[in-house]
Amino acid sequence: MDQDIINKIKENGVVGAGGAGFPTHVKVNAEAEYIILNGAECEPLLRVDQQLMVQKTKEILIALDKIRKITNAKRAIIGLKSKYKKAIEAIEKDIYNFTNISVLELGNFYPAGDEQVLVYEATKRIVPEGGIPLNVGVIVLNVETLLNIHN
């Protein structure tokens, strides 16, 4: 693990931007088999993650790859709804520069952006009741959180 990056995340006060505000340095200071970028935006009227994935694609991919490496994850998966055409196009334009990162297109269903649902859709693993994704070898991060890590 790269303690320098983890310490910078802690020193800069990066917390999960998906709503819970969990300290990101704690979340990424672990080993996982998969890193999942949650770009599915559970609520149907939200557009922030879509816009960030279009406007800040390279920065998000760089941060995702760094986190994949420091957690020793074998794969990073970007989960987003297939209707997010511009975001998918932007990611696919730059993803070839990175190994072990793939896109998972989800259906337009509620709650596709729910962490538990996303873990299952991406890995077919079920997070135990009262558990967290790390219990099944997964770390889930929000798009804006990754951008904050990059910045």
Side-chain angles (χ1 to χ4, degrees):
M1 288 203 198
D2 190 330
Q3 284 304 130
D4 288 339
I5 293 174
I6 293 169
N7 288 337
K8 284 182 182 178
I9 292 168
K10 180 179 181 179
E11 290 166 10
N12 286 290
V14 178
V15 297
F22 191 81
T24 301
H25 73 278
V26 173
K27 192 179 257 194
V28 300
N29 193 14
E31 289 201 8
E33 193 173 349
Y34 297 98
I35 302 296
I36 299 176
L37 175 58
N38 187 352
E41 294 182 309
C42 195
E43 298 300 326
L45 298 178
L46 295 179
R47 301 280 185 268
V48 174
D49 290 345
Q50 293 172 63
Q51 292 172 0
L52 290 174
M53 287 186 287
V54 170
Q55 296 171 3
K56 301 290 184 178
T57 311
K58 288 180 185 173
E59 294 92 332
I60 291 166
L61 288 171
I62 289 167
L64 180 59
D65 195 49
K66 276 186 186 170
I67 296 302
R68 183 189 64 76
K69 289 174 181 173
I70 68 170
T71 60
N72 293 316
K74 67 178 186 179
R75 294 217 48 81
I77 301 167
I78 302 169
L80 67 172
K81 293 178 182 173
S82 60
K83 70 177 189 173
Y84 300 167
K85 302 291 185 202
K86 289 181 182 177
I88 292 168
E89 183 179 302
I91 291 166
E92 288 180 345
K93 185 175 154 189
D94 288 323
I95 202 168
Y96 71 90
N97 291 311
F98 302 90
T99 58
N100 301 315
I101 298 177
S102 61
V103 172
L104 171 66
E105 292 187 37
L106 302 163
N108 185 26
F109 62 89
Y110 182 87
D114 177 78
E115 188 172 73
Q116 317 288 350
V117 173
L118 186 58
V119 168
Y120 179 76
E121 291 294 322
T123 67
K124 301 303 181 215
R125 296 176 182 179
I126 297 173
V127 177
E129 187 174 332
I132 59 173
L134 194 55
N135 296 138
V136 294
V138 178
I139 295 172
V140 179
L141 294 168
N142 170 274
V143 172
E144 189 175 353
T145 304
L146 269 178
L147 188 56
N148 290 338
I149 289 170
H150 181 271
N151 291 338

